[in-house]
Structures are given as C-alpha cells and as structure tokens.
Amino acid sequence: MPAPTLEAPPTAAGLDLERTRRIIRLGRAGVWACLLAGPAALALALTRPPVTVVTQGAPAPASNAGAAVAPADPSGYVAEFADAWLRSDADAPASASALRALRLAPGVALPEPAGGAKAPQKVTAVRSVHRSGSQWSVTVAAQYADGVRYFAVPVAASASGGAIAVTGPPALVAAPTVAKSAPSAYRVEVPDGPLTDTIRDFLTAYLAGSGEVDRYLAPRTSLAALTPAVADQVDVETVTAREKAAAAEHVPSDSTRVHVTASVSAHTTSGAWPLAYELTLAARGGRWEISALTSGGGAAK
C-alpha cells in the first residue's frame, strides 16, 4: 500500500489568490443579477398602480363628492302639506285633504275649523330658512277671501332632499318684513337719442314681432324673439345707465360698452303692462347694438 502523500499547506499567497478569484466570481454574479433584474423591475414599475402616501398624523384627504352639494330646499313639500292641512278637518279624517295631510305629516294633528269656515284660495311658500344640519323653517302664505295669513312650519330634510319630514304643527306668524331696496346702480339718465331708439326698436321686435331681432344684436350674440308675439306696441318710458357714455348725444367709439335698465310699457289686448329690462349695449360702426339681455324673460350672451 503506497504511503499517502501529504499536501503542502497553502501559502499566504495562495490564499490571497483564491480569495481574489472568489470576489471576482461574486462580482460577476452580482452584475448578471442586476442585468436580469433591470427589465423585470422596469416592467413591475410600469404595471404597478400608483401609491398614495399619507403622512403620519395628517388627516386623509376628504372626498369632494358631497362638498359641493347644497341642502335641498323643502319649501315645495311644505307648501303641499300646508295646503292639505288647512283644507282638512279633524272630524273628517277620511277626506282627501286630511288623508293627504296625514300622509305628508303623520304625527301632526289636524285642525278643527268652525262650521262654514272657508278653505284658503291658494297656499304658497314665501320664505325658507336653513337653521342647522337638517333643520329648516318654511313660511307659507295662505290667501283667504279676507286677507293673507302666514304659517311657519318646522321641517327636517336630508341634504339630497330624498327624505323630508314635518316635525311639528304650523305656527301662525306675522307677515315677513319687507326689506328696503338697495340704491340703484343705474343713476345716469339717458335722454332720447340713438341708444333709446335702439332699445325701442329691439324690444318692439322682441315683444311685438315687428322686424327681425338679429339686426339689433352684436356679433356672437344670440336671442330669439317671443313666439307668438305678445305686444301690439312697446313704449320706452325711461332709460338709466351705469356709465355716462350712454347719455352722449352721439355714438362713441367702437367697443364702448354700457349697462342700462329700460322701463317700458307693453300694450297688449289685455291692457298695458309696465316692464323693465336690463341690457348691455356695445358701440360698433356708429350705432348701438344689444350684446346682452340679463332680465325680461331671457338671456343673450
């Protein structure tokens, strides 16, 4: 049996060489791993859904879905209830008015009118006050032969108006106070002249169907005349303006714009009717043109 050969122990130089080879092999493996991972990482980044980062301690962003939703005004519902309630009688709970009132407000007791009492001719909601949350107070006017009576009705309504409930019986209240009107912004009196002539001709075409409305309109302004025509004659009573240029004897330079309000009298087969129209006029080519009608049953822009 041959004697075993003894290997010489590795020298320090051999150990350094082996360590260097191992580092090279690991480096090559790392390079290949990076090259292979690159496309996969890119594909993952392209297909991965975006991530929303929320800072710790900061509130999550609120949804805007309901932020712009204004509370629904329950005045129409309350007017319907008040009309049925004022026409009902506790001694006749099976009547149409009583059944309607009880359906709209099951927990509200019916009135007991005296014999021969007249029902209201008309019931109209005249004021709505949003108190807080779902709580509202709606005031209705009941028109009787001898005058008008006002009732305030408490009601709860959801923001969407899908759920409404009368929460108590009506309260007989005083008439709402009439607010003082603000000073008019139209303070310049406009005398007879090119501007008032344009307004007269335009409103005659608009209300009486005499002539084409388009001929008095500025470019890119659209407005259809009333159909069928309602007036036989239109008289301009007064014209007041915001700008002094409206009162000039001659038409000013092009692109001059003025805002006016015209009080007119429309004569129809049923009488004369005082009407008012807010208009914007623009100067072009030595004449006034209607560029906007902001009141009077229509809007031109």
Side-chain angles (χ1 to χ4, degrees):
M1 181 174 180
T5 54
L6 298 177
E7 296 183 357
T11 63
L15 290 175
D16 292 340
L17 179 62
E18 181 63 25
R19 186 180 300 109
T20 301
R21 290 175 179 174
R22 187 180 299 112
I23 293 173
I24 292 174
R25 288 196 297 269
L26 292 174
R28 288 176 179 175
V31 170
W32 280 108
C34 292
L35 292 175
L36 292 175
L42 178 61
L44 179 61
L46 292 176
T47 57
R48 185 178 181 182
V51 177
T52 301
V53 179
V54 180
T55 304
Q56 185 176 4
S63 172
N64 292 330
V69 178
D73 189 341
S75 57
Y77 184 96
V78 173
E80 182 182 358
F81 157 74
D83 181 83
W85 187 79
L86 291 170
R87 298 176 187 277
S88 62
D89 189 338
D91 293 334
S95 67
S97 296
L99 291 175
R100 187 158 57 103
L102 291 173
R103 176 177 58 83
L104 296 172
V108 177
L110 299 177
E112 300 179 12
K118 300 294 184 180
Q121 300 170 348
K122 185 180 180 180
V123 177
T124 307
V126 295
R127 184 169 180 259
S128 297
V129 177
H130 182 211
R131 290 180 171 172
S132 62
S134 62
Q135 302 302 311
W136 289 74
S137 177
V138 179
T139 301
V140 299
Q143 176 71 54
Y144 290 87
D146 59 350
V148 181
R149 299 180 190 131
Y150 296 88
F151 298 86
V153 182
V155 62
S158 63
S160 64
I164 303 176
V166 175
T167 58
L172 189 62
V173 296
T177 57
V178 179
K180 294 182 179 180
S181 59
S184 175
Y186 302 92
R187 302 179 182 179
V188 179
E189 294 186 6
V190 180
D192 290 339
L195 188 141
T196 54
D197 291 342
T198 298
I199 293 175
R200 181 183 299 104
D201 294 341
F202 163 71
L203 291 177
T204 298
Y206 180 68
L207 296 172
S210 177
E212 296 294 331
V213 170
D214 292 346
R215 65 179 295 188
Y216 305 104
L217 302 180
R220 297 180 297 278
T221 301
S222 177
L223 180 67
L226 297 186
T227 305
V230 296
D232 301 321
Q233 179 183 341
V234 177
D235 295 330
V236 176
E237 304 295 342
T238 60
V239 176
T240 54
R242 297 182 189 174
E243 302 85 0
K244 292 182 179 180
E249 294 182 1
H250 304 286
V251 179
S253 59
D254 288 4
S255 301
T256 300
R257 293 169 66 89
V258 295
H259 303 80
V260 306
T261 178
S263 298
V264 304
S265 179
H267 299 268
T268 69
T269 55
S270 57
W273 303 90
L275 307 174
Y277 292 87
E278 291 183 81
L279 302 159
T280 302
L281 293 92
R284 187 174 72 97
R287 76 186 198 114
W288 287 106
E289 296 176 330
I290 307 296
S291 62
L293 169 65
T294 55
S295 65
K301 297 180 180 179

